[in-house]
Amino acid sequence: MLVIIRVTDGARDMKTVTTALAALAAIVATDPADAQDRLKRGEYLANIMDCGGCHTPGVFLGKPDQERYLAGSEVGFQIPGLGIFYPPNLTSDQETGLGSWSEAEIITAVRTGVRPDGRELAPAMPWRAYAALNDADAQALARYLKA
Ligand code: HEC
């Protein structure tokens, strides 16, 4: 996106220019093309980080239910001494998914393994590997999951 601000005679004082720049920043921040790119980036990351490879029903039975992509697995990971951990629903469902989680809470869980209630996620969820995710990518991923 290319925007040219022409400072005309009437707008020579700094205040007008600052106001124009603030308005521009707001436009850029809400640019729908940009938001679309971020969603695409989030989708791409979810794919290559293989969230669906654990969090999609049927995936461990050799029949991933793509209609219910990321809706949670019925097969869990048993970790000796810790219990069985089922990859939960990551869709935006309010009751069983991440609908009530903020983007910041999703980012914290993915990068540090800490849920909003403070519980640490079992190591079957590869959050230690995801700790290296940069801020922009973490935000794109969280936004995609909430969308
Ligand atoms: C190797 C399997 C695996 C992969 C790959 C994986 N997860 Fe998980 N994830 C799990 C398991 C198992 C849990 C449950 C752990 C627990 O309850 O302690 C979990 C839990 C979570 C939670 C906490 C949800 C809740 O309701 O408590 C979030 C958020 C999450 N995963 C997001 C992701 C995202 C996003 C990706 C991809 C970037 C991903 N996971 C990839 C296995 C996986």
Side-chain angles (χ1 to χ4, degrees):
M1 173 172 163
L2 173 70
V3 179
I4 299 167
I5 297 185
R6 227 180 94 232
V7 181
T8 58
D9 274 355
R12 211 164 250 156
D13 61 302
M14 248 349 256
K15 196 161 169 251
T16 314
V17 174
T18 313
T19 311
L21 284 175
L24 173 65
I27 292 166
V28 170
T30 57
D31 181 356
D34 190 51
Q36 210 48 42
D37 283 352
R38 283 161 56 79
L39 273 186
K40 280 248 168 293
R41 176 79 183 163
E43 183 181 14
Y44 163 79
L45 289 165
N47 277 326
I48 63 166
M49 292 164 79
D50 201 22
C51 313
C54 287
H55 287 271
T56 295
V59 75
F60 292 116
L61 306 172
K63 288 182 232 131
D65 182 352
Q66 293 305 347
E67 301 273 289
R68 293 168 61 226
Y69 178 65
L70 296 184
S73 170
E74 62 287 85
V75 176
F77 291 77
Q78 180 162 24
I79 300 186
L82 283 182
I84 300 178
F85 298 91
Y86 296 89
N89 184 348
L90 301 183
T91 68
S92 52
D93 189 278
Q94 285 290 332
E95 303 288 311
T96 59
L98 300 179
S100 62
W101 293 39
S102 68
E103 287 179 15
E105 287 171 334
I106 295 174
I107 292 171
T108 300
V110 170
R111 290 203 296 208
T112 70
V114 179
R115 280 173 39 96
D117 65 5
R119 180 171 75 78
E120 183 176 292
L121 296 171
M125 161 67 190
W127 53 266
R128 284 188 172 82
Y130 298 156
L133 204 60
N134 69 35
D135 290 347
D137 281 348
Q139 271 155 20
L141 179 65
R143 188 141 309 169
Y144 166 70
L145 291 173
K146 292 286 289 181

